Amino acid sequence: MEKKMPRRFAVRILAVASLLVPAAIGATALAVDNAAAVTREELTAALNSKDIDGILMVTNAIKRMRHKDSILPVVQAVWRQDRRALPDVDWETASFPAVRVEMANILLQADRNGLLDADVAGIATYLRGRMADTSGHTLGQVILTLGLLDTAEDVPAIYAVAEQQDSPTFGAAVIALSRMCDPAADAALDALEGTVGDQGEVYFLGGVTPLGYIRDVRASFTNTRKYCSD
C-alpha cells in the first residue's frame, strides 16, 4: 500500500538548493542532462571525480527527477556509507559532509513524498551535529535540509545563523524557516524582521535589503504553506 503523506507535509518540495549553487560551475568529468534520469553509474562517476561542484550538479538533477525509484537505493547506500553495496565508490569523497548532506536532503524529500522510509532520526542527529562544524555553502545546505524536518527544536539554531546575516547562510536560513509549518518558524521570522529592520541600507543577495529578502521569501511560500495543518 502506498505510504500516505501527512497533511502538514503535503507541501510541494521546491528545488531551493540550486539558489545556493554558484552560477558558474566548474568543469567536471560528468555532464548531466537535466531532463534525464540519473543512473547509478552517473552518480558513482560524479563521486569518483572528487569534484564537489560536479556532484552538486548530479544531486540537483536527482532532486528534479520525476521518477526516483531506481536511484533512491543508491542514494540510501551512500548515506549509510554502505561500502559493500557500492564497492566502486570513492568513499573518501562520499564521506564529505557536503556529500552526505546532499544525500540526506534527497532522502528527506523522498520520505516526505511517500517514496521511502528514511532514517529520519539518524539524519536529524547528523545534521544537528554539522551545524557547528560547517560553513559557507555546506552550512547553507545543512540548514535547508534541517528545515525539512520542520521541528521547533531546530528553529533557534537556524535563527542564530540568520542573525549573523552572512550570505549565503542568511538566505538558506530564511528559506528554511519560511517553508516550515511549525509556528516557531513564523515567530522566528517575525523576530528576525525586527532585528534587521533598521539596516535598510545594507544590500546583498541580489541587490535587496535583508528585510526585503525576508519579506520576499515569506511571500513566495504563502500559497504552499496553505497546506500546513492548523
Side-chain angles (χ1 to χ4, degrees):
M1 181 180 295
E2 184 179 351
K3 181 182 174 184
K4 298 248 184 201
M5 186 177 12
R7 188 167 180 270
R8 76 184 299 240
F9 290 143
V11 180
R12 180 180 170 131
I13 307 301
L14 304 179
V16 295
S18 61
L19 297 174
L20 301 178
V21 178
I25 297 178
T28 177
L30 178 67
V32 177
D33 180 351
N34 289 342
V38 177
T39 65
R40 177 190 187 281
E41 291 73 23
E42 288 170 333
L43 179 54
T44 297
L47 293 169
N48 290 344
S49 75
K50 300 180 183 290
D51 177 2
I52 296 299
D53 286 338
I55 294 169
L56 293 177
M57 283 184 64
V58 174
T59 55
N60 282 327
I62 292 173
K63 294 169 192 176
R64 291 190 295 269
M65 286 170 57
R66 278 188 158 188
H67 306 290
K68 299 181 174 69
D69 293 350
S70 61
I71 198 65
L72 285 176
V74 186
V75 173
Q76 188 92 275
V78 176
W79 162 252
R80 292 174 174 167
Q81 303 286 280
D82 189 344
R83 289 161 170 77
R84 294 184 63 182
L86 299 172
D88 51 344
V89 163
D90 174 6
W91 285 104
E92 180 181 6
T93 302
S95 300
F96 288 165
V99 174
R100 295 206 71 199
V101 171
E102 280 291 291
M103 301 304 153
N105 187 286
I106 293 168
L107 293 174
L108 285 180
Q109 292 193 36
D111 183 271
R112 290 180 64 163
N113 288 319
L115 301 178
L116 54 70
D117 290 312
D119 175 20
V120 176
I123 289 173
T125 298
Y126 180 82
L127 293 172
R128 288 164 186 159
R130 299 287 75 76
M131 286 289 287
D133 63 11
T134 56
S135 60
H137 175 271
T138 301
L139 177 56
Q141 189 63 359
V142 169
I143 292 167
L144 288 170
T145 307
L146 199 60
L148 294 174
L149 297 172
D150 204 349
T151 63
E153 176 182 354
D154 297 309
V155 169
I158 297 174
Y159 176 83
V161 173
E163 265 194 317
Q164 297 172 20
Q165 298 185 52
D166 292 330
S167 180
T169 53
F170 175 83
V174 171
I175 291 169
L177 292 170
S178 295
R179 69 181 179 185
M180 288 173 66
C181 291
D182 196 289
D186 269 338
L189 286 167
D190 290 341
L192 191 60
E193 286 192 14
T195 298
V196 304
D198 61 349
Q199 300 184 32
E201 298 304 315
V202 180
Y203 288 89
F204 72 131
L205 290 167
V208 297
T209 64
L211 180 59
Y213 183 79
I214 295 169
R215 290 176 174 171
D216 287 348
V217 172
R218 294 184 83 170
S220 73
F221 282 96
T222 299
N223 288 332
T224 54
R225 293 187 75 257
K226 290 177 181 177
Y227 296 97
C228 292
S229 62
D230 297 329

